[in-house]
Amino acid sequence: MSGATTRGTLTRRGLLVGLGAAGGAGAMYAAMGALGLAPDRQSTDYAPPRASDFALRGRAGAKVVILGAGVAGLACAYELGRAGYDCTVLEARDHVGGRNRTLRHGDRLPEIAGETQEAKFGEGIYFNAGPGRIAQWMITLDYCRDLGVPIEVFVNENPSAYVYTSGMAAPIRARTARADTYGYLSELLAKATNEGALDRRLTGQDKELLLDFLSAFGDIGDRYAYAGSERRGESTGGPPSLSEVLGYRIGRTVSFGLAYDQAMPMFQPVGGMDAIVTRLVDAVGKDRIRTSAPAEKITNRPDGVEVAYKGGSVRADYCIAALPPNVLARVPGNLDRRTVDALSTPKPASAGKIGLEYRSRWWESDDHIYGGVTETDLDISHIWYPSHGFHGRSGLVVGYYNTGSDADAYARLKHAERQRRALDQGMKIHGAKYRSALASSVSIAWQRQPYIEGAWMAWPSYEGAFSLLQKPDGRVYFAGDWLTHLVAWQAGAFESARNVVTQLHERVLKES
Protein backbone atom coordinates (compact mmCIF):
# COMPACT_ATOMS: atom_id res chain seq x y z
CA MET A 1 0.00 0.00 0.00
CA SER A 2 1.83 3.04 -1.29
CA GLY A 3 2.50 5.74 1.28
CA ALA A 4 0.92 3.74 4.08
CA THR A 5 3.92 3.58 6.36
CA THR A 6 7.06 5.51 7.12
CA ARG A 7 9.83 3.36 8.60
CA GLY A 8 7.26 0.93 9.92
CA THR A 9 5.00 3.58 11.44
CA LEU A 10 1.46 3.97 10.16
CA THR A 11 1.00 7.43 8.67
CA ARG A 12 -2.23 9.42 8.67
CA ARG A 13 -2.46 8.87 4.92
CA GLY A 14 -1.99 5.14 5.34
CA LEU A 15 -4.73 5.07 7.94
CA LEU A 16 -7.11 6.89 5.61
CA VAL A 17 -6.33 4.55 2.73
CA GLY A 18 -7.09 1.55 4.93
CA LEU A 19 -10.33 3.04 6.16
CA GLY A 20 -11.36 3.90 2.62
CA ALA A 21 -10.75 0.33 1.48
CA ALA A 22 -12.63 -1.16 4.43
CA GLY A 23 -15.52 1.25 4.89
CA GLY A 24 -15.81 3.27 1.70
CA ALA A 25 -15.59 6.98 1.03
CA GLY A 26 -17.86 7.90 3.92
CA ALA A 27 -15.66 6.19 6.50
CA MET A 28 -12.52 7.73 5.04
CA TYR A 29 -14.05 11.20 4.90
CA ALA A 30 -15.26 10.95 8.49
CA ALA A 31 -11.74 10.01 9.55
CA MET A 32 -10.35 12.95 7.58
CA GLY A 33 -12.62 15.18 9.61
CA ALA A 34 -11.42 13.70 12.89
CA LEU A 35 -7.82 14.28 11.82
CA GLY A 36 -8.53 17.85 10.76
CA LEU A 37 -7.96 17.09 7.07
CA ALA A 38 -11.48 17.48 5.72
CA PRO A 39 -13.19 20.81 5.09
CA ASP A 40 -16.57 21.88 6.41
CA ARG A 41 -16.93 24.31 3.54
CA GLN A 42 -15.80 24.75 -0.04
CA SER A 43 -13.95 27.74 -1.35
CA THR A 44 -16.13 30.28 -3.09
CA ASP A 45 -13.06 32.06 -4.43
CA TYR A 46 -13.94 31.43 -8.05
CA ALA A 47 -14.07 33.94 -10.89
CA PRO A 48 -16.02 32.37 -13.76
CA PRO A 49 -14.82 33.14 -17.28
CA ARG A 50 -16.80 35.87 -19.02
CA ALA A 51 -17.36 36.77 -22.62
CA SER A 52 -15.98 40.23 -21.83
CA ASP A 53 -12.59 38.63 -21.11
CA PHE A 54 -12.14 38.38 -24.87
CA ALA A 55 -13.53 41.78 -25.80
CA LEU A 56 -10.17 43.57 -26.04
CA ARG A 57 -8.64 40.67 -27.98
CA GLY A 58 -11.18 40.70 -30.75
CA ARG A 59 -11.83 36.98 -30.64
CA ALA A 60 -14.16 34.45 -29.08
CA GLY A 61 -13.48 31.56 -26.77
CA ALA A 62 -11.91 28.37 -28.03
CA LYS A 63 -13.65 25.23 -29.17
CA VAL A 64 -13.73 22.52 -26.49
CA VAL A 65 -14.84 18.90 -26.69
CA ILE A 66 -15.95 17.46 -23.35
CA LEU A 67 -16.05 13.72 -22.77
CA GLY A 68 -18.78 12.69 -20.36
CA ALA A 69 -22.14 14.31 -19.60
CA GLY A 70 -22.03 13.64 -15.90
CA VAL A 71 -22.12 16.51 -13.41
CA ALA A 72 -18.44 17.40 -13.93
CA GLY A 73 -18.67 17.42 -17.71
CA LEU A 74 -21.91 19.39 -17.80
CA ALA A 75 -20.56 21.88 -15.26
CA CYS A 76 -17.50 22.47 -17.45
CA ALA A 77 -19.73 23.06 -20.48
CA TYR A 78 -21.97 25.37 -18.45
CA GLU A 79 -19.15 27.53 -17.11
CA LEU A 80 -17.29 27.73 -20.43
CA GLY A 81 -20.44 28.30 -22.42
CA ARG A 82 -21.28 31.42 -20.42
CA ALA A 83 -18.01 32.93 -21.64
CA GLY A 84 -18.65 32.12 -25.27
CA TYR A 85 -16.67 28.90 -25.64
CA ASP A 86 -17.96 26.53 -28.32
CA CYS A 87 -18.51 23.30 -26.37
CA THR A 88 -19.48 19.86 -27.63
CA VAL A 89 -20.28 17.18 -25.04
CA LEU A 90 -19.95 13.49 -25.96
CA GLU A 91 -21.74 11.00 -23.70
CA ALA A 92 -21.29 7.25 -24.08
CA ARG A 93 -24.66 6.30 -22.56
CA ASP A 94 -28.09 7.02 -23.99
CA HIS A 95 -28.85 9.50 -21.23
CA VAL A 96 -27.01 12.29 -19.42
CA GLY A 97 -26.14 12.72 -15.75
CA GLY A 98 -23.62 9.96 -15.11
CA ARG A 99 -23.99 8.80 -11.52
CA ASN A 100 -26.64 11.46 -10.90
CA ARG A 101 -29.43 9.09 -11.90
CA THR A 102 -33.05 9.34 -10.88
CA LEU A 103 -35.27 6.49 -12.04
CA ARG A 104 -38.97 6.88 -12.79
CA HIS A 105 -41.68 4.86 -14.47
CA GLY A 106 -40.52 3.43 -17.79
CA ASP A 107 -36.81 4.03 -17.27
CA ARG A 108 -34.60 1.11 -18.25
CA LEU A 109 -31.48 0.12 -16.35
CA PRO A 110 -29.08 -2.24 -18.19
CA GLU A 111 -26.08 -3.84 -16.52
CA ILE A 112 -22.78 -5.02 -17.95
CA ALA A 113 -23.25 -8.61 -19.13
CA GLY A 114 -26.45 -8.79 -17.11
CA GLU A 115 -30.17 -8.18 -17.14
CA THR A 116 -32.02 -4.97 -17.95
CA GLN A 117 -34.55 -3.75 -15.42
CA GLU A 118 -37.48 -1.47 -16.17
CA ALA A 119 -38.89 0.79 -13.48
CA LYS A 120 -42.60 0.28 -12.93
CA PHE A 121 -43.10 2.91 -10.28
CA GLY A 122 -46.41 4.66 -9.88
CA GLU A 123 -47.07 8.32 -10.69
CA GLY A 124 -44.86 10.71 -8.75
CA ILE A 125 -42.56 7.97 -7.42
CA TYR A 126 -38.85 8.30 -8.10
CA PHE A 127 -35.64 6.63 -6.94
CA ASN A 128 -32.37 8.54 -6.56
CA ALA A 129 -30.10 5.67 -7.55
CA GLY A 130 -26.97 7.78 -7.15
CA PRO A 131 -26.47 10.86 -4.95
CA GLY A 132 -29.29 11.46 -2.51
CA ARG A 133 -28.35 14.35 -0.21
CA ILE A 134 -26.44 17.63 -0.14
CA ALA A 135 -24.70 19.23 2.84
CA GLN A 136 -25.31 22.93 3.47
CA TRP A 137 -21.69 23.96 2.91
CA MET A 138 -21.34 22.26 -0.48
CA ILE A 139 -21.22 24.39 -3.63
CA THR A 140 -23.83 22.05 -5.08
CA LEU A 141 -26.39 24.25 -3.33
CA ASP A 142 -24.85 27.32 -4.99
CA TYR A 143 -25.48 25.73 -8.37
CA CYS A 144 -29.03 24.84 -7.34
CA ARG A 145 -29.56 28.51 -6.55
CA ASP A 146 -27.95 29.73 -9.77
CA LEU A 147 -29.77 27.22 -11.97
CA GLY A 148 -33.13 27.71 -10.29
CA VAL A 149 -33.37 24.18 -8.86
CA PRO A 150 -35.84 24.20 -5.94
CA ILE A 151 -34.64 22.32 -2.86
CA GLU A 152 -36.24 20.79 0.21
CA VAL A 153 -35.01 19.34 3.48
CA PHE A 154 -33.53 15.86 3.47
CA VAL A 155 -34.07 14.30 6.90
CA ASN A 156 -30.65 12.79 7.50
CA GLU A 157 -31.02 11.93 11.17
CA ASN A 158 -34.23 10.86 12.82
CA PRO A 159 -34.38 9.65 16.45
CA SER A 160 -37.57 7.78 15.56
CA ALA A 161 -35.75 5.58 13.03
CA TYR A 162 -34.35 2.27 14.20
CA VAL A 163 -30.99 0.79 15.03
CA TYR A 164 -30.47 -2.94 14.58
CA THR A 165 -27.27 -4.93 15.08
CA SER A 166 -26.41 -8.56 15.68
CA GLY A 167 -26.00 -7.74 19.37
CA MET A 168 -29.68 -6.84 19.74
CA ALA A 169 -32.62 -9.13 20.37
CA ALA A 170 -34.84 -6.73 18.41
CA PRO A 171 -34.51 -3.35 16.70
CA ILE A 172 -34.68 -0.29 18.95
CA ARG A 173 -35.32 3.35 18.26
CA ALA A 174 -32.27 5.47 17.58
CA ARG A 175 -33.23 7.82 20.43
CA THR A 176 -33.30 4.89 22.86
CA ALA A 177 -29.93 3.58 21.75
CA ARG A 178 -28.41 7.03 22.00
CA ALA A 179 -29.90 7.76 25.44
CA ASP A 180 -28.62 4.49 26.90
CA THR A 181 -25.18 4.86 25.34
CA TYR A 182 -24.69 8.45 26.45
CA GLY A 183 -26.12 7.67 29.89
CA TYR A 184 -23.80 4.80 30.70
CA LEU A 185 -20.74 6.50 29.24
CA SER A 186 -21.48 9.57 31.35
CA GLU A 187 -21.88 7.43 34.46
CA LEU A 188 -18.57 5.67 33.88
CA LEU A 189 -16.69 8.89 33.27
CA ALA A 190 -18.32 10.55 36.28
CA LYS A 191 -17.31 7.65 38.53
CA ALA A 192 -13.76 7.75 37.20
CA THR A 193 -13.66 11.48 37.91
CA ASN A 194 -14.99 11.11 41.44
CA GLU A 195 -12.58 8.28 42.22
CA GLY A 196 -9.60 10.41 41.25
CA ALA A 197 -8.69 8.53 38.09
CA LEU A 198 -8.39 11.83 36.22
CA ASP A 199 -6.68 13.90 38.91
CA ARG A 200 -3.48 14.14 36.87
CA ARG A 201 -5.39 15.75 34.04
CA LEU A 202 -8.05 17.83 35.80
CA THR A 203 -7.97 20.63 38.30
CA GLY A 204 -10.62 20.80 40.98
CA GLN A 205 -12.59 23.30 38.94
CA ASP A 206 -12.21 21.14 35.80
CA LYS A 207 -13.68 18.17 37.68
CA GLU A 208 -16.63 20.22 38.85
CA LEU A 209 -17.31 21.47 35.33
CA LEU A 210 -16.95 18.01 33.83
CA LEU A 211 -19.36 16.45 36.33
CA ASP A 212 -21.86 19.20 35.65
CA PHE A 213 -21.56 18.49 31.92
CA LEU A 214 -21.92 14.72 32.33
CA SER A 215 -24.96 15.12 34.54
CA ALA A 216 -26.77 16.93 31.74
CA PHE A 217 -25.22 15.10 28.78
CA GLY A 218 -26.09 11.62 30.03
CA ASP A 219 -29.14 12.63 32.10
CA ILE A 220 -27.58 10.92 35.14
CA GLY A 221 -28.53 13.48 37.79
CA ASP A 222 -26.43 14.54 40.75
CA ARG A 223 -25.99 10.92 41.86
CA TYR A 224 -24.11 10.30 38.63
CA ALA A 225 -25.81 6.96 38.01
CA TYR A 226 -27.75 6.08 34.89
CA ALA A 227 -31.12 4.59 35.66
CA GLY A 228 -32.85 5.37 32.41
CA SER A 229 -34.15 8.62 31.00
CA GLU A 230 -37.25 10.04 29.40
CA ARG A 231 -35.01 10.53 26.38
CA ARG A 232 -35.41 6.82 25.70
CA GLY A 233 -38.96 7.46 24.55
CA GLU A 234 -40.30 4.48 26.49
CA SER A 235 -42.87 4.77 29.27
CA THR A 236 -42.26 1.42 30.97
CA GLY A 237 -39.25 -0.50 32.20
CA GLY A 238 -35.71 0.55 32.85
CA PRO A 239 -32.73 0.48 30.54
CA PRO A 240 -30.84 -2.70 29.67
CA SER A 241 -27.59 -3.44 31.47
CA LEU A 242 -24.33 -1.73 30.61
CA SER A 243 -22.98 -4.99 29.16
CA GLU A 244 -25.98 -5.30 26.88
CA VAL A 245 -25.66 -1.73 25.64
CA LEU A 246 -21.94 -2.18 24.95
CA GLY A 247 -22.83 -5.35 23.05
CA TYR A 248 -24.94 -3.31 20.65
CA ARG A 249 -21.71 -2.08 18.99
CA ILE A 250 -23.30 1.14 17.80
CA GLY A 251 -20.38 3.56 18.09
CA ARG A 252 -20.61 4.48 14.41
CA THR A 253 -24.38 4.89 14.60
CA VAL A 254 -24.44 7.36 17.49
CA SER A 255 -21.53 9.36 16.04
CA PHE A 256 -22.46 9.33 12.34
CA GLY A 257 -23.84 12.85 12.34
CA LEU A 258 -20.52 14.18 13.61
CA ALA A 259 -18.81 13.52 10.27
CA TYR A 260 -17.92 16.58 8.23
CA ASP A 261 -20.02 15.48 5.29
CA GLN A 262 -23.11 14.72 7.36
CA ALA A 263 -25.55 16.96 9.17
CA MET A 264 -29.16 17.50 10.11
CA PRO A 265 -30.67 18.89 8.05
CA MET A 266 -29.28 18.19 4.62
CA PHE A 267 -31.05 18.99 1.36
CA GLN A 268 -32.32 17.45 -1.87
CA PRO A 269 -33.78 18.89 -5.08
CA VAL A 270 -37.56 18.81 -5.25
CA GLY A 271 -38.74 16.00 -7.51
CA GLY A 272 -35.45 14.12 -7.79
CA MET A 273 -31.71 14.68 -7.77
CA ASP A 274 -31.59 14.77 -11.57
CA ALA A 275 -33.26 18.19 -11.47
CA ILE A 276 -29.68 19.49 -11.27
CA VAL A 277 -28.77 17.65 -14.48
CA THR A 278 -31.92 18.83 -16.25
CA ARG A 279 -31.18 22.49 -15.52
CA LEU A 280 -27.52 22.08 -16.52
CA VAL A 281 -28.58 20.56 -19.83
CA ASP A 282 -31.01 23.41 -20.45
CA ALA A 283 -28.26 25.94 -19.72
CA VAL A 284 -25.68 24.18 -21.91
CA GLY A 285 -28.10 23.48 -24.76
CA LYS A 286 -29.34 20.04 -25.77
CA ASP A 287 -27.97 20.58 -29.27
CA ARG A 288 -24.44 20.61 -27.85
CA ILE A 289 -24.76 17.15 -26.26
CA ARG A 290 -24.45 13.91 -28.22
CA THR A 291 -25.53 10.74 -26.42
CA SER A 292 -24.67 7.13 -27.34
CA ALA A 293 -21.32 8.49 -28.48
CA PRO A 294 -18.55 6.68 -26.56
CA ALA A 295 -15.03 7.99 -27.21
CA GLU A 296 -12.97 5.53 -29.24
CA LYS A 297 -9.71 7.47 -29.66
CA ILE A 298 -8.18 10.66 -28.26
CA THR A 299 -5.40 12.27 -30.28
CA ASN A 300 -3.38 15.19 -28.96
CA ARG A 301 -2.12 17.44 -31.77
CA PRO A 302 0.11 20.52 -31.63
CA ASP A 303 -2.79 22.76 -32.63
CA GLY A 304 -5.70 20.91 -31.06
CA VAL A 305 -7.34 17.62 -30.17
CA GLU A 306 -9.23 15.10 -32.26
CA VAL A 307 -11.71 12.71 -30.63
CA ALA A 308 -13.09 9.80 -32.59
CA TYR A 309 -16.34 8.49 -31.21
CA LYS A 310 -18.91 5.93 -32.23
CA GLY A 311 -20.53 7.47 -35.28
CA GLY A 312 -18.08 10.26 -36.05
CA SER A 313 -15.23 12.47 -34.90
CA VAL A 314 -14.76 16.02 -33.67
CA ARG A 315 -11.82 18.43 -33.77
CA ALA A 316 -11.39 21.06 -31.08
CA ASP A 317 -8.78 23.34 -29.59
CA TYR A 318 -8.96 21.55 -26.24
CA CYS A 319 -10.49 18.50 -24.64
CA ILE A 320 -11.81 18.00 -21.10
CA ALA A 321 -12.05 14.32 -20.24
CA ALA A 322 -14.63 13.97 -17.49
CA LEU A 323 -14.91 10.19 -17.66
CA PRO A 324 -14.24 7.80 -14.79
CA PRO A 325 -10.46 7.29 -14.83
CA ASN A 326 -10.74 3.50 -15.00
CA VAL A 327 -12.77 3.89 -18.20
CA LEU A 328 -10.67 6.70 -19.65
CA ALA A 329 -7.44 4.72 -19.20
CA ARG A 330 -8.71 2.17 -21.75
CA VAL A 331 -9.50 4.68 -24.50
CA PRO A 332 -6.82 4.45 -27.23
CA GLY A 333 -4.86 7.51 -28.28
CA ASN A 334 -1.55 9.23 -27.74
CA LEU A 335 -1.79 10.34 -24.13
CA ASP A 336 1.52 10.14 -22.31
CA ARG A 337 2.23 6.74 -20.74
CA ARG A 338 2.56 8.40 -17.35
CA THR A 339 -0.93 9.83 -17.76
CA VAL A 340 -2.41 6.45 -18.61
CA ASP A 341 -0.66 4.89 -15.62
CA ALA A 342 -1.96 7.68 -13.39
CA LEU A 343 -5.52 7.13 -14.65
CA SER A 344 -5.18 3.45 -13.74
CA THR A 345 -4.03 4.21 -10.19
CA PRO A 346 -7.33 4.92 -8.37
CA LYS A 347 -9.57 1.88 -8.05
CA PRO A 348 -13.36 1.83 -8.38
CA ALA A 349 -15.35 1.28 -5.21
CA SER A 350 -18.48 -0.86 -5.08
CA ALA A 351 -21.88 0.40 -3.93
CA GLY A 352 -25.46 -0.54 -4.53
CA LYS A 353 -29.00 0.55 -3.77
CA ILE A 354 -32.49 -0.81 -4.09
CA GLY A 355 -35.61 1.30 -4.35
CA LEU A 356 -38.69 -0.38 -2.82
CA GLU A 357 -42.02 1.15 -3.80
CA TYR A 358 -44.84 0.52 -1.32
CA ARG A 359 -48.59 0.82 -1.81
CA SER A 360 -48.94 2.60 1.54
CA ARG A 361 -46.65 4.71 3.71
CA TRP A 362 -46.75 2.28 6.63
CA TRP A 363 -43.48 3.63 8.08
CA GLU A 364 -45.37 6.85 8.80
CA SER A 365 -48.76 5.46 9.84
CA ASP A 366 -47.48 2.46 11.83
CA ASP A 367 -43.93 3.33 12.90
CA HIS A 368 -44.24 7.13 13.01
CA ILE A 369 -41.03 7.57 11.00
CA TYR A 370 -40.92 10.66 8.80
CA GLY A 371 -37.66 10.58 6.87
CA GLY A 372 -34.29 9.60 8.23
CA VAL A 373 -32.20 6.47 8.16
CA THR A 374 -32.29 3.17 10.02
CA GLU A 375 -28.75 1.92 10.66
CA THR A 376 -27.89 -1.78 10.76
CA ASP A 377 -24.89 -4.08 10.65
CA LEU A 378 -26.75 -6.34 8.21
CA ASP A 379 -25.59 -6.57 4.61
CA ILE A 380 -28.21 -3.97 3.66
CA SER A 381 -26.38 -1.46 5.88
CA HIS A 382 -29.06 1.27 5.78
CA ILE A 383 -32.77 1.78 5.16
CA TRP A 384 -33.68 5.29 3.99
CA TYR A 385 -37.19 6.68 4.41
CA PRO A 386 -38.40 9.38 2.02
CA SER A 387 -38.18 13.04 3.04
CA HIS A 388 -41.02 14.14 0.79
CA GLY A 389 -44.61 13.18 -0.01
CA PHE A 390 -45.58 12.88 3.63
CA HIS A 391 -49.06 11.37 4.19
CA GLY A 392 -49.31 10.46 0.53
CA ARG A 393 -50.85 7.23 -0.69
CA SER A 394 -47.57 5.52 -1.55
CA GLY A 395 -43.85 6.04 -1.36
CA LEU A 396 -40.40 4.63 -1.94
CA VAL A 397 -37.95 3.36 0.66
CA VAL A 398 -34.28 2.77 -0.11
CA GLY A 399 -34.08 -0.82 1.11
CA TYR A 400 -30.31 -0.98 1.07
CA TYR A 401 -27.42 1.31 0.40
CA ASN A 402 -24.36 -0.83 0.88
CA THR A 403 -20.71 -0.68 -0.10
CA GLY A 404 -17.64 -2.89 -0.35
CA SER A 405 -18.03 -6.66 -0.08
CA ASP A 406 -21.75 -6.39 0.73
CA ALA A 407 -22.32 -4.43 -2.47
CA ASP A 408 -20.26 -6.97 -4.42
CA ALA A 409 -22.35 -9.82 -3.02
CA TYR A 410 -25.60 -8.17 -4.12
CA ALA A 411 -24.13 -7.22 -7.50
CA ARG A 412 -23.55 -10.88 -8.32
CA LEU A 413 -27.29 -11.56 -7.97
CA LYS A 414 -30.13 -11.03 -10.40
CA HIS A 415 -32.56 -8.32 -9.39
CA ALA A 416 -35.23 -10.72 -8.12
CA GLU A 417 -32.72 -12.29 -5.75
CA ARG A 418 -31.45 -8.89 -4.60
CA GLN A 419 -35.03 -7.95 -3.79
CA ARG A 420 -35.68 -11.20 -1.90
CA ARG A 421 -32.53 -10.81 0.15
CA ALA A 422 -33.21 -7.15 0.94
CA LEU A 423 -36.76 -7.94 2.01
CA ASP A 424 -35.63 -10.81 4.22
CA GLN A 425 -33.24 -8.49 6.00
CA GLY A 426 -35.67 -5.59 6.24
CA MET A 427 -38.34 -7.83 7.77
CA LYS A 428 -36.06 -8.29 10.78
CA ILE A 429 -36.75 -4.63 11.51
CA HIS A 430 -40.22 -3.95 10.13
CA GLY A 431 -41.94 -7.35 10.08
CA ALA A 432 -44.16 -8.93 7.45
CA LYS A 433 -45.48 -5.66 6.02
CA TYR A 434 -42.02 -5.01 4.62
CA ARG A 435 -42.77 -7.72 2.06
CA SER A 436 -46.57 -7.79 1.82
CA ALA A 437 -47.01 -4.08 1.04
CA LEU A 438 -44.40 -4.01 -1.75
CA ALA A 439 -45.56 -2.74 -5.15
CA SER A 440 -42.36 -2.74 -7.25
CA SER A 441 -38.61 -2.30 -7.03
CA VAL A 442 -35.43 -1.45 -8.94
CA SER A 443 -31.86 -2.14 -7.83
CA ILE A 444 -28.54 -0.77 -9.03
CA ALA A 445 -25.00 -2.08 -8.74
CA TRP A 446 -22.77 0.79 -9.78
CA GLN A 447 -19.81 -1.44 -10.54
CA ARG A 448 -21.99 -3.10 -13.21
CA GLN A 449 -23.10 0.11 -14.91
CA PRO A 450 -21.75 0.48 -18.49
CA TYR A 451 -19.14 3.22 -18.98
CA ILE A 452 -19.10 3.93 -15.23
CA GLU A 453 -18.02 0.66 -13.57
CA GLY A 454 -17.90 1.92 -10.01
CA ALA A 455 -19.62 4.10 -7.43
CA TRP A 456 -16.57 6.32 -6.85
CA MET A 457 -12.78 6.09 -6.98
CA ALA A 458 -10.46 5.23 -4.10
CA TRP A 459 -6.93 6.67 -4.22
CA PRO A 460 -4.01 4.91 -2.53
CA SER A 461 -2.42 8.34 -2.05
CA TYR A 462 -3.22 11.99 -2.74
CA GLU A 463 0.22 12.46 -4.23
CA GLY A 464 1.92 11.25 -7.40
CA ALA A 465 -0.80 10.25 -9.86
CA PHE A 466 -3.39 12.45 -8.17
CA SER A 467 -1.15 15.51 -8.52
CA LEU A 468 -0.15 14.66 -12.10
CA LEU A 469 -3.74 14.58 -13.31
CA GLN A 470 -4.46 18.03 -11.91
CA LYS A 471 -2.54 19.30 -14.94
CA PRO A 472 -3.29 18.75 -18.63
CA ASP A 473 -1.60 16.25 -20.90
CA GLY A 474 -0.95 18.48 -23.89
CA ARG A 475 -4.37 19.88 -24.73
CA VAL A 476 -6.33 17.29 -22.77
CA TYR A 477 -7.57 18.25 -19.29
CA PHE A 478 -9.18 15.98 -16.70
CA ALA A 479 -12.19 16.59 -14.46
CA GLY A 480 -14.29 14.70 -11.95
CA ASP A 481 -15.00 14.37 -8.24
CA TRP A 482 -12.17 11.82 -8.16
CA LEU A 483 -9.70 14.69 -8.66
CA THR A 484 -10.74 16.40 -5.41
CA HIS A 485 -10.89 15.54 -1.72
CA LEU A 486 -14.66 15.28 -2.07
CA VAL A 487 -14.72 11.95 -3.83
CA ALA A 488 -18.25 10.51 -4.16
CA TRP A 489 -19.98 13.88 -3.86
CA GLN A 490 -21.39 16.08 -6.61
CA ALA A 491 -19.73 18.98 -4.82
CA GLY A 492 -16.40 17.41 -5.79
CA ALA A 493 -17.46 17.26 -9.43
CA PHE A 494 -18.40 20.95 -9.38
CA GLU A 495 -15.16 21.87 -7.63
CA SER A 496 -13.09 19.97 -10.18
CA ALA A 497 -14.98 21.59 -13.05
CA ARG A 498 -14.21 25.03 -11.66
CA ASN A 499 -10.53 24.16 -11.31
CA VAL A 500 -10.26 22.91 -14.89
CA VAL A 501 -12.27 25.78 -16.35
CA THR A 502 -10.02 28.27 -14.58
CA GLN A 503 -6.84 26.59 -15.86
CA LEU A 504 -8.09 26.30 -19.42
CA HIS A 505 -9.41 29.86 -19.55
CA GLU A 506 -6.13 31.32 -18.27
CA ARG A 507 -4.27 29.38 -20.92
CA VAL A 508 -6.57 30.56 -23.70
CA LEU A 509 -6.20 34.18 -22.60
CA LYS A 510 -2.40 33.88 -22.60
CA GLU A 511 -2.31 32.25 -26.03
CA SER A 512 -4.83 34.58 -27.65
Side-chain angles (χ1 to χ4, degrees):
M1 189 177 295
S2 176
T5 60
T6 300
R7 296 183 179 179
T9 301
L10 184 67
T11 63
R12 292 196 299 181
R13 180 173 294 107
L15 172 63
L16 293 174
V17 171
L19 286 171
M28 182 171 68
Y29 199 73
M32 289 174 69
L35 294 172
L37 300 177
D40 61 356
R41 64 187 59 85
Q42 284 183 279
S43 173
T44 56
D45 186 17
Y46 169 67
R50 300 166 298 178
S52 59
D53 294 338
F54 297 106
L56 298 178
R57 294 171 173 80
R59 55 162 292 179
K63 183 174 182 180
V64 181
V65 57
I66 299 170
L67 308 182
V71 171
L74 291 174
C76 287
Y78 170 66
E79 295 290 0
L80 291 172
R82 292 200 292 177
Y85 283 83
D86 181 5
C87 296
T88 298
V89 184
L90 302 179
E91 168 55 46
R93 288 153 68 94
D94 62 3
H95 62 275
V96 299
R99 286 167 293 155
N100 181 325
R101 187 78 197 273
T102 301
L103 297 170
R104 300 179 179 82
H105 179 81
D107 287 338
R108 295 173 62 80
L109 188 68
E111 292 189 348
I112 298 172
E115 65 181 324
T116 296
Q117 300 172 58
E118 182 176 346
K120 299 180 180 179
F121 300 143
E123 183 179 357
I125 300 296
Y126 65 84
F127 170 38
N128 286 328
R133 52 194 171 188
I134 307 168
Q136 299 175 55
W137 54 268
M138 293 177 173
I139 59 174
T140 307
L141 288 184
D142 296 334
Y143 279 91
C144 287
R145 182 192 306 109
D146 294 343
L147 293 165
V149 177
I151 61 172
E152 61 190 0
V153 169
F154 176 91
V155 182
N156 197 40
E157 289 188 80
N158 185 347
S160 292
Y162 289 104
V163 176
Y164 182 71
T165 69
S166 56
M168 296 177 177
I172 60 177
R173 299 283 184 171
R175 67 164 58 87
T176 305
R178 189 170 299 173
D180 291 343
T181 301
Y182 291 173
Y184 278 124
L185 289 178
S186 295
E187 176 185 332
L188 290 173
L189 186 52
K191 288 180 176 178
T193 301
N194 278 329
E195 292 172 4
L198 302 178
D199 284 355
R200 296 182 62 182
R201 295 293 305 274
L202 302 177
T203 66
Q205 184 178 16
D206 289 339
K207 291 171 63 175
E208 182 179 339
L209 292 172
L210 177 58
L211 289 170
D212 182 65
F213 167 79
L214 293 172
S215 176
F217 179 73
D219 198 16
I220 58 176
D222 55 12
R223 297 181 63 184
Y224 308 122
Y226 183 64
S229 167
E230 63 179 12
R231 298 173 183 174
R232 304 182 78 247
E234 298 179 356
S235 57
T236 60
S241 67
L242 170 61
S243 294
E244 185 175 345
V245 171
L246 293 176
Y248 291 166
R249 299 179 182 272
I250 57 173
R252 178 185 179 277
T253 298
V254 298
S255 64
F256 184 70
L258 301 178
Y260 276 79
D261 56 350
Q262 301 297 324
M264 180 59 231
M266 295 179 81
F267 292 89
Q268 63 183 11
V270 174
M273 189 62 74
D274 64 345
I276 295 173
V277 172
T278 299
R279 294 297 177 90
L280 280 170
V281 169
D282 290 343
V284 170
K286 295 180 181 179
D287 58 321
R288 294 186 175 276
I289 303 171
R290 302 175 191 175
T291 56
S292 301
E296 296 181 335
K297 188 175 183 180
I298 304 171
T299 305
N300 244 320
R301 302 188 185 281
D303 60 345
V305 179
E306 182 176 359
V307 176
Y309 62 92
K310 186 177 180 179
S313 65
V314 60
R315 292 287 298 268
D317 299 303
Y318 301 95
C319 171
I320 299 177
L323 306 178
N326 51 319
V327 175
L328 181 58
R330 301 197 301 265
V331 179
N334 65 347
L335 292 177
D336 190 280
R337 185 70 246 174
R338 292 171 298 176
T339 299
V340 176
D341 290 344
L343 291 168
S344 302
T345 299
K347 303 304 178 185
S350 301
K353 284 184 176 182
I354 190 168
L356 303 173
E357 179 193 13
Y358 286 97
R359 290 184 290 272
S360 67
R361 298 175 74 96
W362 49 261
W363 54 92
E364 294 172 0
S365 58
D366 298 351
D367 294 272
H368 307 291
I369 298 175
Y370 289 77
V373 181
T374 281
E375 300 284 351
T376 83
D377 65 357
L378 304 171
D379 59 17
I380 59 174
S381 191
H382 318 278
I383 297 176
W384 286 18
Y385 310 96
S387 295
H388 64 283
F390 300 120
H391 290 174
R393 290 187 301 174
S394 60
L396 182 139
V397 168
V398 177
Y400 65 75
Y401 173 22
N402 52 21
T403 60
S405 60
D406 289 336
D408 286 332
Y410 275 79
R412 288 190 287 268
L413 305 175
K414 296 288 188 180
H415 170 69
E417 184 60 18
R418 294 175 191 168
Q419 175 187 290
R420 185 200 65 77
R421 188 165 171 172
L423 293 176
D424 286 346
Q425 298 288 54
M427 286 174 64
K428 297 176 181 177
I429 299 163
H430 288 295
K433 61 193 174 187
Y434 201 74
R435 184 186 301 277
S436 62
L438 185 70
S440 69
S441 69
V442 171
S443 63
I444 189 166
W446 280 105
Q447 58 271 43
R448 296 178 66 89
Q449 284 298 291
Y451 300 106
I452 293 181
E453 302 177 22
W456 54 79
M457 305 305 298
W459 286 94
S461 169
Y462 283 109
E463 297 175 351
F466 181 83
S467 298
L468 177 67
L469 295 172
Q470 303 291 333
K471 302 175 183 178
D473 181 334
R475 289 175 173 263
V476 179
Y477 291 76
F478 308 99
D481 64 287
W482 50 278
L483 279 173
T484 72
H485 291 282
L486 278 171
V487 173
W489 291 94
Q490 293 177 101
F494 282 119
E495 180 180 305
S496 177
R498 287 182 169 188
N499 292 339
V500 169
V501 165
T502 299
Q503 284 188 54
L504 192 152
H505 186 55
E506 290 176 350
R507 178 173 176 176
V508 171
L509 291 179
K510 289 179 181 178
E511 295 179 356
S512 64

